[in-house]
Amino acid sequence: MSVYVERRGRGPDLVLLHGWGMNGAVWQGLAELLEADFRLHLVDLPGFGHSPALPASAGLDDWAGAVLGAAPSRAAWLGWSLGGLVATHAALQQPERVGGLITLASSPRFVAGDDWPGIKAGVLAEFERQLAEDHLQVVNRFLALQAMGSEHARDDIRRLRDSLGQKPAPDAGALAAGLALLGEVDLRPRLAELRVPLLRLYGRLDGLVPRKAAALVDELAPNSLSHIEPRASHAPFISHPDATAERIRRFLHELA
């Protein structure tokens, strides 16, 4: 299966993967800041935007494989939230294809546990239950969660909703599959296997990927770099685009 990719800019290749419920249009503002330095590949994940959905039985292997099938033979990858899981898995599957990895407001395990900060399992379960009733309303509720804590929360939600409306609504089955990935995937044991340079960007006010997770991942991936944007929530590239773009640019230029 082939995913839809919008390509723009010039320079070294950079693949960008959006988060749950969204599509590649969410990168519009950040792309304007990066396209002078990089050849951007703005992916619609399976079942989102213009990309067809995968079968209901598809797992993270299939999601990463679908993107790898449309990506350049070698590129840097940037994944936001759920997109960070997919990008990390692609780097584990085919490290020769990923020249550098950036995760943005993402976590190797999204659901909270006794020793791990994250989204409460009950919250995800409630989203899954509500999907069957009104999946687009669930997406709207998730947008509000992503902006919660941001000093620009209302503007952040508006920008997220605007980008969502630029493409077809997400497939209900893909939304359910994406929530299942957020609830079930645990890449923590595999982070030590990563053989690609890794930059992890976080928002200090993020309620979905709490900042406490950053320190724990420091231990799991000691060779990686991390930064916590002090006044950002779950979408630092929306609320603080210039600072986010500069950190991406600096990291990738140092790899060149």
Side-chain angles (χ1 to χ4, degrees):
M1 188 209 82
S2 180
V3 295
Y4 176 86
V5 184
E6 176 192 349
R7 296 177 174 88
R8 54 191 286 185
R10 60 177 61 191
D13 290 300
L14 174 59
V15 176
L16 292 90
L17 306 183
H18 60 81
W20 185 84
M22 301 304 300
N23 58 55
V26 79
W27 299 115
Q28 179 70 30
L30 188 67
E32 291 173 359
L33 297 174
L34 294 177
E35 62 187 353
D37 296 273
F38 304 101
R39 174 68 166 163
L40 304 176
H41 303 258
L42 311 178
V43 174
D44 286 347
L45 288 172
F48 297 91
H50 296 300
S51 291
L54 288 166
S57 59
L60 191 57
D61 274 348
D62 305 289
W63 285 59
V67 180
L68 282 162
S73 58
R74 186 168 174 84
W77 287 49
L78 186 159
W80 170 48
S81 196
L82 171 62
L85 277 184
V86 179
T88 301
H89 199 67
L92 289 164
Q93 276 187 315
Q94 297 191 35
E96 72 282 358
R97 300 275 307 275
V98 181
L101 174 63
I102 302 170
T103 61
L104 180 56
S106 192
S107 176
R109 172 186 163 114
F110 275 86
V111 69
D114 292 339
D115 59 346
W116 191 260
I119 307 170
K120 292 181 179 179
V123 172
L124 284 179
E126 182 63 13
F127 275 136
E128 290 173 353
R129 186 191 66 78
Q130 293 172 352
L131 275 180
E133 299 172 7
D134 187 347
H135 64 277
L136 297 181
Q137 184 60 35
V138 174
V139 172
N140 280 324
R141 289 177 185 145
F142 200 72
L143 294 185
L145 269 183
Q146 293 179 71
M148 188 171 60
S150 170
E151 60 185 337
H152 315 294
R154 186 172 296 176
D155 285 341
D156 293 356
I157 293 171
R158 178 182 55 77
R159 290 173 190 166
L160 289 167
R161 188 174 288 125
D162 287 349
S163 64
L164 184 60
Q166 291 179 32
K167 295 189 178 186
D171 177 84
L175 287 169
L179 273 187
L181 293 178
L182 291 175
E184 297 166 7
V185 169
D186 187 353
L187 292 181
R188 291 178 298 173
R190 300 199 62 193
L191 288 187
E193 300 173 29
L194 278 174
R195 295 293 177 263
V196 304
L198 170 60
L199 171 65
R200 299 153 28 234
L201 301 176
Y202 302 91
R204 187 180 67 84
L205 306 175
D206 191 344
L208 300 176
V209 180
R211 63 183 182 275
K212 291 180 180 178
L216 296 173
V217 181
D218 284 340
E219 298 176 13
L220 296 172
N223 294 324
S224 65
L225 302 171
S226 67
H227 170 73
I228 300 175
E229 191 64 37
R231 302 180 76 176
S233 182
H234 191 63
F237 66 100
I238 296 284
S239 62
H240 297 78
D242 292 309
T244 302
E246 180 54 31
R247 292 195 176 275
I248 292 167
R249 197 180 291 116
R250 190 184 313 160
F251 174 71
L252 295 180
H253 283 167
E254 288 177 357
L255 297 182

